[in-house]
Each structure stands twice: as structure tokens, then as C-alpha cells.
């Protein structure tokens, strides 16, 4: 995403936490866009939002650009193992 933003002449930075944000990045900035990959824990995103609120960016608007409806299937080896496993027997009382 950083590369895409920079290709459109936007100032963009890759961070691991709010601690990576440099004060000079926010000088003269009126709007901040924040994106996160699917593997980014929600708590880290929330920490960045809270940090930005302390810097005057308290008006938060969540925007869904592309609906997330991706499903990941099981690896073929797992599917085969499940298919070849013996059927479960009913539990005895």
C-alpha cells in the first residue's frame, strides 16, 4: 500500500506500531488515511487511531473500499486426510 500511495504522490509510511510515527510526518497534514493488512491485529490498529486522536485527528471515519469476502480453502493434503479418515462412531452412553 505504501508503494501504491507513493505512486500517486502521497506521503506514505510503513509502521509496525504508533511508536514508529514521526511528528514531522504530521506537520501541515489535515487528513490521515490508515490501512492495515489482514494479518494486522485489530489492537494495533486501534492503538494507532488512539495515538492520532491525541494529535488532533479525532474525527475517524471507517471506509470499506472493497468488500472482504475472500475464503481460504484447506490445503489439499488436509482435504485428502479428512476424506480418508474413518467415519466417527457414535459416542457410547
Amino acid at each position: 500500500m505504501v508503494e501504491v500511495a507513493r505512486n500517486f504522490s502521497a506521503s506514505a509510511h510503513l509502521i509496525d506500531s504508533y511508536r514508529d510515527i514521526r511528528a514531522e510526518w504530521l506537520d501541515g497534514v489535515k487528513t490521515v488515511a490508515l490501512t492495515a493488512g489482514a494479518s494486522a491485529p485489530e489492537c494495533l490498529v486501534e492503538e494507532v487511531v488512539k495515538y492520532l486522536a491525541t494529535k488532533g485527528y479525532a474525527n475517524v471515519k471507517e471506509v470499506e473500499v472493497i468488500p472482504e469476502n475472500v475464503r481460504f480453502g484447506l490445503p489439499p493434503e488436509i482435504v485428502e486426510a479428512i476424506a480418508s479418515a474413518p467415519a466417527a462412531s457414535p459416542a457410547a452412553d
Side-chain angles (χ1 to χ4, degrees):
M1 292 302 294
V2 169
E3 189 176 322
V4 171
R6 288 179 179 165
N7 285 340
F8 285 94
S9 300
S11 177
H13 307 280
L14 181 62
I15 61 169
D16 289 319
S17 81
Y18 74 92
R19 292 177 188 89
D20 296 336
I21 300 172
R22 297 185 191 158
E24 62 266 20
W25 294 348
L26 301 175
D27 286 345
V29 173
K30 293 183 180 182
T31 303
V32 174
L34 175 63
T35 65
S39 63
E42 184 67 22
C43 62
L44 293 180
V45 175
E46 289 172 3
E47 285 178 353
V48 172
V49 170
K50 286 179 186 176
Y51 172 81
L52 290 171
T54 69
K55 302 299 178 188
Y57 302 94
N59 184 9
V60 177
K61 184 187 299 184
E62 190 170 339
V63 178
E64 182 179 13
V65 178
I66 298 173
E68 294 183 28
N69 56 4
V70 177
R71 296 179 190 250
F72 295 96
L74 292 172
E77 298 84 8
I78 304 278
V79 173
E80 289 174 22
I82 292 170
S84 64
S89 59
D93 289 327

